[in-house]
Amino acid sequence: MGRDRDGVPTSGHPCVVRDGNWAADVRFACSYAAAFFGMLLVIDAGAGSLSPWRAALWAVLAVLLLAVLTPPRVSARPGLLVSRGVWGETSVRTDRLVAVCRSDGVARRLVLRDAEGGRVEIDPRVLVDNPPLWRVVDEDARACLAGGLLLCGAAALRQLAVGVDRETARAVFRVSGLGPPLRVSPERVRDRPGGEP
C-alpha cells in the first residue's frame, strides 16, 4: 500500500482531501518568524551588542517561533483523518469514531477518538474553512452515529455543521455579490444630500 507525502494511504482511495489554507498559514508563519529575526537583529545592532553568537541565538529563537506557528497539515480520505505537524503525525479512523469533543479555551480544539485508540486534535476552523474536508469527516461520523459506535460528540458535530453551513453560505453570497449590506454610520447619512437633518 502506497502513502502520499502526508502519510495518507493512497491505495484504492484516490480522493484525498487536504487543508486548502495550509500553505497560506505556513507563509504567514515564515514571514512572522523572519520579521521577528530581523527585528531582533536591528535592535541588537542598534544597541551595539550584535555578535555572531547573538545572531545565531536570534536565528534559533526565530526557528523555534516558526515551529510553534506552523500549523499541522490536515488531510482526509473516507475512513481516515491525518494531522501532520512539525512534532509528528497523528491519525484517527473516522469510520470507527467513538468520541468527538470540543474544548473551548484560548485555542479552540476538536478532539476525535477512534475505537483503536487513535486520537487527533485539530483546530475546528480547519474543517469550517474547508467544506470538502468536513464532508469526508461528517459522512463517516454520521455512519458511526447511526451504527451506535459514536457515543459522545453528536452535539459537537451539530455545532460544527452549523458553522460549516454558515461559512459556506457567506462564501456563496460573497462570490455572487449578495454579501451583507454595508453599515453606514448616522453621521454619514446626515452628510449626504437628502439625508436626515
Side-chain angles (χ1 to χ4, degrees):
M1 170 170 35
R3 289 176 116 31
D4 70 359
R5 64 179 184 201
D6 289 328
V8 177
T10 57
S11 175
H13 296 283
C15 186
V16 175
V17 183
R18 293 183 178 84
D19 178 5
N21 300 326
W22 182 79
D25 292 342
V26 171
R27 280 193 300 274
F28 169 77
C30 289
S31 63
Y32 204 89
F36 179 69
F37 178 61
M39 179 189 67
L40 289 174
L41 288 179
V42 167
I43 291 171
D44 213 8
S49 58
L50 184 62
S51 68
W53 291 109
R54 289 178 69 92
L57 173 66
W58 302 144
V60 168
L61 285 175
V63 168
L64 286 174
L65 180 65
L66 176 63
V68 168
L69 292 179
T70 300
R73 178 146 193 187
V74 178
S75 54
R77 66 160 172 82
L80 186 68
L81 179 73
V82 177
S83 176
R84 189 173 188 186
V86 175
W87 313 115
E89 175 183 306
T90 57
S91 64
V92 68
R93 295 273 315 266
T94 53
D95 58 350
R96 306 271 302 143
L97 285 176
V98 294
V100 177
C101 305
R102 278 183 79 143
S103 65
D104 293 326
V106 174
R108 292 174 36 193
R109 307 313 266 162
L110 186 70
V111 181
L112 297 99
R113 296 179 191 268
D114 65 20
E116 284 80 30
R119 179 181 183 274
V120 168
E121 187 173 327
I122 61 172
D123 183 355
R125 289 297 312 172
V126 171
L127 297 175
V128 171
D129 293 342
N130 294 281
L133 194 60
W134 163 247
R135 270 195 301 277
V136 171
V137 174
D138 185 45
E139 287 174 11
D140 286 340
R142 286 176 191 262
C144 290
L145 192 59
L149 191 60
L150 183 61
L151 304 174
C152 173
L157 289 171
R158 276 194 300 273
Q159 289 175 345
L160 199 54
V162 168
V164 170
D165 292 343
R166 185 181 310 121
E167 286 301 314
T168 303
R170 283 183 185 157
V172 167
F173 284 132
R174 207 172 20 251
V175 168
S176 65
L178 298 173
L182 296 174
R183 299 192 184 218
V184 180
S185 67
E187 293 82 24
R188 292 190 69 187
V189 171
R190 277 188 238 123
D191 294 341
R192 284 184 170 174
E196 294 178 4

